[in-house]
Amino acid sequence: MHLMRVGDPGAERPVVVEAGVAYDLQPITPDIDGDFLAGDGIAEVRRALGEGTLAQVDVTDLRRGAPITRPHAVWCIGMNYAAHAAESGAQPPEVPVLFFKTPNTVVGPDDDVLVPRGSTKTDWEVELAVVIGKRARYLESPAQAREHIAGYTISNDVSEREFQLEASGGQWSKGKCCETFNPLGPALVPADEVDAGNLRLRSWVNGEPRQDSTTADLIFSVDFLVWHLSQVAVLEPGDVINTGTPQGVALSGRFPYLRAGDVVEVSIDGLGAQRQTLRQA
């Protein structure tokens, strides 16, 4: 079951795709957001599918929006794959490295990504994204985190490395919050349908392979991250957690940085794929 939002920016409507057929979710909810998730909306969609009460809709050629409307917060974890930490010239962290993206960086999975003015080091990062479904505050253990996760989707944590690491003096979010820097989607897949610890992540630039790894190489697991963050903040329904990227980014020095006209593709098995064209801001 894939929950999606389709349509023009700002006018997306919610649908669910099951066995290749799309169904209208507007009789259940006006949008896929924190209120929908916190209100046990995913279970309600399953009941409606089982009862056959949802109308089929044709989504052919419609734009795919981010699978949730603008989140309350976008939490991001840095250097969460050992090989990526090594290619960045750092030791694997002993505690999760946290930075933020502003919610208005979130765009659809196929929307254009804008190269910032003055940028020479725009980079790609395929990531597993966690979507919170239930308020998480001072969870007692990582095991408890699972009941607070609504599902998973794909994030491209686009970054400008000079802004992030050089010009900012190491204030990471300065290289992470440029407009369009968080393509999300195409679908929100319920947590109980995903083995988050065994997913293959890949990326390509202009058709050439860049990243190819699995979430089995995560330093800090999804459950641990949700538990850890709940000790220092309150996670709200609809919040997104970008869990880190594997090796194979331009920061490694092995590949050129992105420029206008480049095409980036990212995928995670079972969650779908994204495709963005780079344009100059």
Side-chain angles (χ1 to χ4, degrees):
M1 185 172 82
H2 287 205
L3 300 169
M4 301 178 66
R5 299 168 67 247
V6 296
D8 294 336
E12 296 93 344
R13 68 178 192 266
V15 300
V16 59
V17 179
E18 177 82 344
V21 179
Y23 300 89
D24 184 14
L25 287 184
Q26 291 179 104
I28 293 177
T29 181
D31 211 340
I32 300 173
D33 56 15
D35 289 342
F36 166 78
L37 297 174
D40 210 16
I42 290 177
E44 187 175 356
V45 172
R46 282 192 171 131
R47 285 193 296 271
L49 284 172
E51 295 167 359
T53 58
L54 298 176
Q56 293 186 24
V57 290
D58 184 4
V59 298
T60 306
D61 298 329
L62 290 182
R63 168 185 171 270
R64 304 185 299 177
I68 59 168
T69 192
R70 183 179 293 188
H72 171 264
V74 181
W75 309 83
C76 304
I77 307 301
M79 297 189 295
N80 198 24
Y81 290 77
H84 175 57
E87 75 175 356
S88 303
Q91 293 295 317
E94 296 182 0
V95 295
V97 175
L98 176 65
F99 61 92
F100 294 92
K101 287 197 161 193
T102 53
N104 66 359
T105 60
V106 174
V107 294
D110 308 307
D111 291 346
D112 290 346
V113 166
L114 300 181
V115 177
R117 296 178 185 179
S119 168
T120 59
K121 295 183 178 181
T122 297
D123 208 346
W124 61 89
E125 293 189 14
V126 60
E127 304 198 10
L128 174 66
V130 180
V131 179
I132 298 298
K134 178 181 175 183
R135 198 169 194 251
R137 173 180 177 272
Y138 294 117
L139 300 184
E140 294 180 0
S141 69
Q144 193 181 9
R146 298 186 182 185
E147 63 190 75
H148 295 264
I149 298 172
Y152 299 94
T153 189
I154 305 171
S155 175
N156 184 0
D157 176 18
V158 185
S159 310
E160 212 298 334
R161 303 303 190 183
E162 183 178 9
F163 298 176
Q164 175 190 352
L165 301 171
E166 301 167 28
S168 70
Q171 300 177 72
W172 282 25
S173 288
K174 287 187 176 180
K176 299 284 189 170
C177 291
C178 302
E179 57 185 330
T180 73
F181 262 30
N182 203 139
L184 196 69
L188 173 61
V189 182
D192 59 3
E193 298 182 14
V194 179
D195 180 0
N198 187 30
L199 295 171
R200 186 181 184 188
L201 308 86
R202 287 177 287 178
S203 68
W204 300 260
V205 175
N206 299 327
E208 297 181 358
R210 291 294 185 260
Q211 296 170 281
D212 190 347
S213 187
T214 77
T215 54
D217 291 329
L218 282 168
I219 296 172
F220 303 106
S221 71
V222 166
D223 291 348
F224 182 90
L225 291 174
V226 173
W227 167 81
H228 175 80
L229 290 174
S230 80
Q231 307 306 303
V232 297
V234 177
L235 306 181
E236 299 288 357
D239 280 3
V240 172
I241 303 173
N242 291 340
T243 58
T245 199
Q247 65 177 329
V249 296
L251 181 64
S252 67
R254 294 188 289 134
F255 307 111
Y257 286 101
L258 298 170
R259 59 184 180 180
D262 287 342
V263 174
V264 175
E265 298 170 273
V266 302
S267 75
I268 299 179
D269 289 359
L271 303 184
Q274 303 182 357
R275 184 181 189 274
Q276 298 102 35
T277 299
L278 277 289
R279 290 196 299 111
Q280 188 63 50

